[in-house]
Amino acid sequence: AWLRERLGEARRKKQAVLIEGHIPPGVEIYGFTELWQPKYVRTYLGIVQDPSLGSCIIAQLFAHLHADEFRLLPDAPIGAGPMLLSGAVSPYFGNNPSFRVVEYNPSTGKLLNIKVYAADLATKGES
């Protein structure tokens, strides 16, 4: 109810929305296990894929998986942005440390550019 209300308010005010969270909905890439309970995934997707609400979401920003990924909603409304999963600055799961810079137009909220910066630990010290 809360997210639906906030998105409805943003739509009425013609505001762009970034959704931020730690653990993304869906499956993680290491063990292929569900990260959320199915009933919560259904509820969340029902909100962000709603044509009257989801089009004001310019991106969904998540992390947790220690991998740089992007995902698209199965039934994304026109104008809805991607789901961006940031890598980690720690190489705990064998990943190269990374971070992402997202540039957007503050007037329109539209994404302009996405840059990922990463350290290549495998070649550290090599010539």
Side-chain angles (χ1 to χ4, degrees):
W2 179 86
L3 180 57
R4 187 175 292 280
E5 290 171 7
R6 298 289 77 76
L7 290 174
E9 182 179 338
R11 182 181 56 82
R12 286 188 296 280
K13 293 180 177 180
K14 298 186 183 334
Q15 295 174 324
V17 174
L18 283 169
I19 293 179
E20 297 181 26
H22 180 74
I23 300 174
V27 176
E28 55 93 7
I29 61 172
Y30 297 104
F32 301 102
T33 56
E34 291 285 340
L35 296 167
W36 291 12
Q37 292 180 18
K39 66 180 179 179
Y40 298 126
V41 173
R42 282 191 303 274
T43 300
Y44 182 73
L45 291 180
I47 296 170
V48 298
Q49 293 184 145
D50 181 321
S52 67
L53 301 175
S55 59
C56 70
I57 302 170
I58 59 168
Q60 299 171 64
L61 309 174
F62 291 96
H64 184 71
L65 300 180
H66 293 255
D68 184 64
E69 298 180 29
F70 73 91
R71 298 179 179 181
L72 301 175
L73 295 171
D75 295 310
I78 294 172
M83 184 180 295
L84 303 172
L85 283 62
S86 290
V89 294
S90 73
Y92 185 72
F93 289 101
N95 56 288
N96 286 321
S98 67
F99 66 93
R100 174 183 288 129
V101 175
V102 177
E103 184 181 356
Y104 67 97
N105 182 316
S107 299
T108 65
K110 296 295 180 190
L111 293 179
L112 300 174
N113 200 5
I114 300 168
K115 292 182 184 178
V116 176
Y117 297 89
D120 188 356
L121 296 182
T123 60
K124 183 179 177 192
E126 294 179 11
S127 318

